[in-house]
Amino acid sequence: MLRRMLTVIAMSALLLAFAVPVLQADDIDIEKIQFPKLNKIEIPDIEKITLDNGMRVYLLEDHEYPLFEASVRVAGGSYLEPADKVGLAGICGTVMRTGGTARWTGDEIDEMLEGVGGTVE
């Protein structure tokens, strides 16, 4: 088995040694390299909505798939936690995601979202 492995390694080394020669930096005239024109960047229209509670919502529609996605950013995190309450931000994030609302539990929201092809992560 060892002899076969050494043979394969030796053959690989020979193949690499006799492979197509690698271009040297001196062989390339960088002034003659031409690049294709870049595609125009099209920035989509984003609808901005401010809710009564001050939360800002940015809506970007894409009708390619029958799905929707929402992304929420909250000004918070573990860097704002008091030293005596380590883990508070993690608990808060988990409860915000799974806790539900006054009207629906977290599981009920998940079921409703699944029924329309949505997720919350």
Side-chain angles (χ1 to χ4, degrees), residues 4 13-14 22 34 88-89 102 107:
R4 285 185 191 160
L14 283 172
V22 177
Q34 293 183 0
L88 181 62
D107 290 337

Side-chain angles (χ1 to χ4, degrees), residues 25-121:
D26 297 338
D27 297 337
I28 301 172
D29 185 1
I30 59 172
E31 298 297 325
K32 292 182 180 177
I33 297 175
Q34 293 183 0
F35 298 97
K37 197 171 187 180
L38 296 176
N39 294 333
K40 183 179 178 185
I41 297 174
E42 296 182 23
I43 299 174
D45 291 330
I46 300 173
E47 186 177 347
K48 299 172 185 170
I49 304 166
T50 302
L51 303 178
D52 292 340
N53 63 3
M55 183 181 287
R56 289 175 295 195
V57 177
Y58 300 94
L59 179 62
L60 176 61
E61 293 189 36
D62 181 358
H63 298 279
E64 186 173 351
Y65 301 109
L67 303 172
F68 69 91
E69 178 180 344
S71 178
V72 177
R73 304 289 186 256
V74 178
S78 59
Y79 71 98
L80 295 172
E81 290 176 339
D84 61 336
K85 295 184 180 177
V86 174
L88 181 62
I91 293 170
C92 181
T94 299
V95 171
M96 285 173 51
R97 164 59 195 97
T98 61
T101 66
R103 188 170 178 182
W104 298 298
T105 67
D107 290 337
E108 289 171 333
I109 293 172
D110 287 342
E111 287 180 28
M112 286 187 286
L113 289 171
E114 285 177 16
V116 294
T119 62
V120 176
E121 299 176 15

